Amino acid sequence: MPHTIKALLFDWGDTVMADDPAKHEPMVTWEEVRLVPYIHPALLQLHKDYTLCIASNARDSNAELMCQALERVHVRHLFRYAYTSSELGAAKPEPLFFSSLLAKIGLSPAECIMIGNDLQKDIAGARAAGIRTIWYCPPGSLVATDGRHLADVIVRSMKELPSAVRLLASKGS
């Protein structure tokens, strides 16, 4: 019997929020914080049908600081859950990261889709945990063509995300 997708698990940096690797302080303290292009309308559409969760390896922020940054760009209310590797006791792509996350939100791997920009940490890690995946690979990003098989779906723009989620959700488990 197929499982219904109930939750979308989002990476944070360069999947929801535009990251600046040159900065080494919590994002909430940056002068400017920005969403990645087109993620806001996608989140508005998706949160109506799915539980949204941020699941990040954020080095400089814990979940509380991450949520404060999301508040600055007016999307915090769209996410029911927010966790970083410090709260989960492991970092992506470690299996413990995903098993701890699933335990906290009370769902099985078959009920979730992971959306992220890092092929190894987000996509390979989630796939190894039995979670379906959407790889966000915008034009101009470094593409590991030999790893494309790891993702269930690849989106080049967040404009494509709602239809990619619907596609995966319609496939069942």
Side-chain angles (χ1 to χ4, degrees):
M1 177 173 179
H3 286 82
T4 302
I5 296 298
K6 295 181 180 171
L8 305 178
L9 315 173
F10 285 85
D11 176 52
W12 185 40
D14 287 331
T15 300
V16 173
M17 302 289 289
D19 201 2
D20 182 346
K23 297 195 179 197
H24 299 289
E25 60 275 343
M27 187 183 289
V28 69
T29 66
W30 298 0
E31 186 174 325
E32 179 186 13
V33 292
R34 299 179 287 112
L35 292 166
V36 301
Y38 308 109
I39 190 69
H40 190 251
L43 293 173
L44 286 172
Q45 186 175 348
L46 293 167
H47 100 281
K48 295 173 187 173
D49 298 316
Y50 303 98
T51 297
L52 305 186
C53 175
I54 292 276
S56 175
N57 279 350
R59 297 177 314 275
D60 303 312
S61 298
N62 60 20
E64 181 180 346
L65 294 173
M66 197 168 56
C67 288
Q68 290 173 14
L70 292 168
E71 189 68 46
R72 285 188 59 194
V73 291
H74 313 290
V75 297
R76 171 62 186 106
H77 67 284
L78 301 175
F79 292 92
R80 183 168 178 192
Y81 301 106
Y83 296 104
T84 66
S85 51
S86 61
E87 288 92 20
L88 297 173
K92 292 181 282 183
E94 296 173 47
L96 182 59
F97 178 94
F98 294 98
S99 62
S100 295
L101 174 62
L102 293 170
K104 287 192 177 284
I105 66 174
L107 295 174
S108 72
E111 295 172 308
C112 300
I113 296 172
M114 177 73 198
I115 300 141
N117 69 309
D118 188 299
L119 189 60
Q120 292 305 315
K121 292 176 186 173
D122 300 323
I123 304 308
R127 185 177 179 115
I131 300 168
R132 285 174 274 182
T133 60
I134 297 174
W135 181 28
Y136 172 54
C137 183
S141 62
L142 297 175
V143 178
T145 54
D146 61 339
R148 289 176 181 259
H149 66 280
L150 294 173
D152 292 299
V153 177
I154 299 170
V155 295
R156 304 287 283 162
S157 167
M158 285 300 180
K159 284 182 183 178
E160 303 167 19
L161 186 60
S163 60
V165 168
R166 282 192 302 274
L167 174 70
L168 272 185
S170 71
K171 289 183 177 182
S173 59

